[in-house]
Amino acid sequence: MAVSELDSGKGELRTILSIDGGGIRGIIPGVILAFLESELQKLDGEDARIADYFDVIAGTSTGGLVVSMLTAPENNRPLYQAKDIVPFYKKHTPEIFRQPRCHFLSPLTNRFWKVMGPRYDGEYLKELLDKELGVVTLKQTLTQVIIPTYDIKRLFPVIFTTAEAKMDELNNPLLADVCLSTSAAPTYLPSHKFGIEGNSNIFHMIDGGVAANNPTLTAILHEKKAMIIRSELETEKKNKEAKLKMSPKKLLVLSLGTGSFKKIGKYDAEDTAKWGILSWVHKNKTTPIIDIFSDANADMVDIHLATMFQYDHDLHKNDGNKKDNHRKKDYLRIQAADLSGDELCSVDIATKENLENLEIVGEKLLDETVSRVNLKTGRYEKLSSKKGTNREALVKFAERLSKERKLRLSG
């Protein structure tokens, strides 16, 4: 039974997992999640699954696919274990992002794919999701999920949530449709159009990364809204004491990135002042306008969370405030910084070698010192070695998740 189905009043936390978008780079959080689930199994038995421990699991684009794998039901248990994510990507992404069979065609393909329609037809992904998820709807997920998308007809984000799906069948789409929507990255995969039975609205969807490539803040805001609603309902039924049980300080958040390759200093005002439309859209094998919007989107999430969890601009400052230090421990962001090379940074180069290299990136990331974005420089910087590695941080995180679940199960 997921913690979201247990009486939260018996516990101390509201637990959130968030997974970024990034195409084939979903392998990186796949490695992290496999390790976390193995630690939970050490504590609570082999049947332990990620969905059993998080009140909310949010994912954008490839993160939305991972969320669905971890929460879609099969005999009332998750469809996939976390250890299955990386093998899943290795098996299926070469077909989703089928590379040119003839090597000499690659340069030609790379030059013209942006103007000749989506690079991939999306048929394999659609068939795969139809096969794996079938008629499973959003309200059937084993814990609360949040998956951002963007409706290009309405020019407005659409955030699909289990909570809303349970309250209203008109907001209860097929989970496969939600996955196809959030992963429909412009220029890579076709937009996805679908409807919900009984709902006259037709959705015209593209990649959720347009709105929230890092959905951590989206998940937190939705959960805080839910906490307010729950506390008000409890207050009506019982007394004001219930409201105190749902404090924002009780959030425990794990946010997983799919790799950062921001190159500070790559652009400057002197050069860009001379650019026209074509240069902003395509320059030196990159798409500057998309890169900049994507980075800005993610950076704003970091800025908001820095304020929410009160970590200082000075990463190595120790002010001795135990209350603030405890609050910092309630938020763990794991991101592979400074990815280099066209293949590792890509979302679609699904060669056997590149997929294996991404897995290696994830494994190495476990043993790197915990890092955080420096809000003065925009760079990911490692904290003091005393803070430990990501592996050690995840072990402690697993212990807190296990303790919370046991608290809710007690009595």
Side-chain angles (χ1 to χ4, degrees):
M1 183 182 293
V3 289
S4 60
E5 296 178 4
L6 301 175
D7 182 4
S8 60
K10 297 176 183 176
E12 299 176 349
L13 307 167
R14 296 296 294 176
T15 54
I16 296 174
L17 168 64
S18 174
I19 307 166
D20 288 11
I24 58 171
R25 300 199 313 271
I27 283 179
I28 297 173
V31 172
I32 305 301
L33 289 167
F35 175 76
L36 176 61
E37 191 170 85
S38 70
E39 289 301 306
L40 292 169
Q41 289 169 349
K42 289 178 184 178
L43 294 167
D44 298 330
E46 294 183 359
D47 290 336
R49 300 289 184 270
I50 292 291
D52 298 332
Y53 295 85
F54 287 96
D55 293 298
V56 177
I57 305 182
T60 298
S61 193
T62 198
L65 179 58
V66 172
V67 167
S68 299
M69 294 169 66
L70 297 176
T71 63
E74 184 177 58
N75 298 322
N76 207 35
R77 295 300 290 151
L79 184 62
Y80 283 91
Q81 296 187 52
K83 69 178 183 180
D84 298 323
I85 294 172
V86 172
F88 179 94
Y89 272 69
K90 285 183 172 181
K91 178 179 179 180
H92 295 293
T93 56
E95 296 298 324
I96 296 171
F97 303 113
R98 185 181 288 275
Q99 304 300 297
R101 292 184 181 276
C102 300
H103 181 70
F104 72 86
L105 290 177
S106 297
L108 186 65
T109 303
N110 289 335
R111 177 175 294 183
F112 292 110
W113 65 273
K114 293 182 180 179
V115 296
M116 298 298 290
R119 189 170 189 180
Y120 309 100
D121 61 21
E123 288 302 316
Y124 184 89
L125 178 59
K126 185 178 186 306
E127 291 174 5
L128 177 63
L129 292 174
D130 287 343
K131 176 183 175 183
E132 295 292 319
L133 299 177
V135 296
V136 173
T137 61
L138 184 58
K139 75 175 185 180
Q140 294 174 292
T141 57
L142 295 174
T143 191
Q144 301 288 329
V145 307
I146 294 176
I147 300 179
T149 61
Y150 191 85
D151 192 315
I152 56 172
K153 190 163 187 177
R154 297 176 180 85
L155 295 179
F156 199 75
V158 177
I159 301 171
F160 289 105
T161 71
T162 303
E164 291 182 358
K166 286 183 175 180
M167 288 189 293
D168 186 355
E169 280 292 332
L170 299 182
N171 291 319
N172 182 34
L174 291 173
L175 194 54
D177 281 325
V178 177
C179 287
L180 285 170
S181 298
T182 195
S183 59
T187 73
Y188 289 95
L189 290 165
S191 305
H192 183 58
K193 178 181 177 181
F194 74 95
I196 302 173
E197 186 176 353
N199 190 335
S200 60
N201 291 328
I202 301 297
F203 296 92
H204 301 256
M205 314 304 288
I206 61 171
D207 191 338
V210 172
N213 199 54
N214 175 351
T216 308
L217 186 61
T218 304
I220 288 174
L221 293 177
H222 272 71
E223 180 56 22
K224 291 181 74 174
K225 177 182 177 182
M227 286 195 294
I228 292 171
I229 293 172
R230 284 194 298 268
S231 64
E232 288 177 347
L233 291 174
E234 287 297 317
T235 300
E236 291 176 7
K237 291 180 181 178
K238 299 178 183 178
N239 52 56
K240 293 183 179 181
E241 183 180 347
K243 210 163 191 174
L244 299 176
K245 294 180 181 179
M246 296 299 181
S247 166
K249 295 180 182 179
K250 297 297 183 181
L251 294 175
L252 179 65
V253 181
L254 174 61
S255 176
L256 303 180
T258 57
S260 170
F261 46 92
K262 180 191 292 187
K263 295 181 180 178
I264 294 176
K266 184 176 180 180
Y267 309 117
D268 61 49
E270 186 175 354
D271 289 336
T272 56
K274 304 171 186 177
W275 288 3
I277 293 175
L278 290 179
S279 294
W280 281 103
V281 171
H282 184 64
K283 188 77 170 179
N284 297 328
K285 299 181 180 180
T286 68
T287 309
I289 192 67
I290 293 178
D291 291 345
I292 290 167
F293 278 136
S294 178
D295 285 339
N297 181 309
D299 291 340
M300 286 304 297
V301 173
D302 281 320
I303 291 169
H304 285 301
L305 293 177
T307 302
M308 186 173 295
F309 290 94
Q310 299 179 355
Y311 63 74
D312 197 89
H313 290 223
D314 184 348
L315 298 178
H316 306 288
K317 180 179 178 180
N318 183 4
D319 57 13
N321 189 324
K322 292 183 179 180
K323 182 178 179 180
D324 285 351
N325 285 335
H326 177 75
R327 192 166 186 180
K328 294 170 191 176
K329 294 177 182 178
D330 292 340
Y331 171 63
L332 176 61
R333 171 72 170 169
I334 298 181
Q335 173 71 299
D338 302 322
L339 289 183
S340 61
D342 291 341
E343 293 191 351
L344 278 182
C345 295
S346 78
V347 298
D348 68 322
I349 302 180
T351 61
K352 183 173 185 267
E353 180 182 11
N354 195 39
L355 297 176
E356 290 177 349
N357 286 338
L358 286 168
E359 185 177 9
I360 291 171
V361 168
E363 294 289 352
K364 288 182 177 179
L365 182 58
L366 284 170
D367 292 313
E368 290 183 6
T369 303
V370 174
S371 62
R372 185 179 293 141
V373 170
N374 187 316
L375 299 181
K376 292 180 179 178
T377 66
R379 298 179 184 274
Y380 271 91
E381 296 181 7
K382 292 179 173 58
L383 302 180
S384 166
S385 59
K386 294 181 181 179
K387 299 293 184 182
T389 64
N390 290 317
R391 187 186 300 273
E392 292 167 336
L394 285 167
V395 169
K396 294 177 182 177
F397 205 95
E399 291 171 351
R400 295 186 70 185
L401 290 173
S402 176
K403 179 182 177 182
E404 173 65 19
R405 179 169 168 76
K406 288 171 182 173
L407 278 173
R408 298 193 196 184
L409 286 168
S410 64

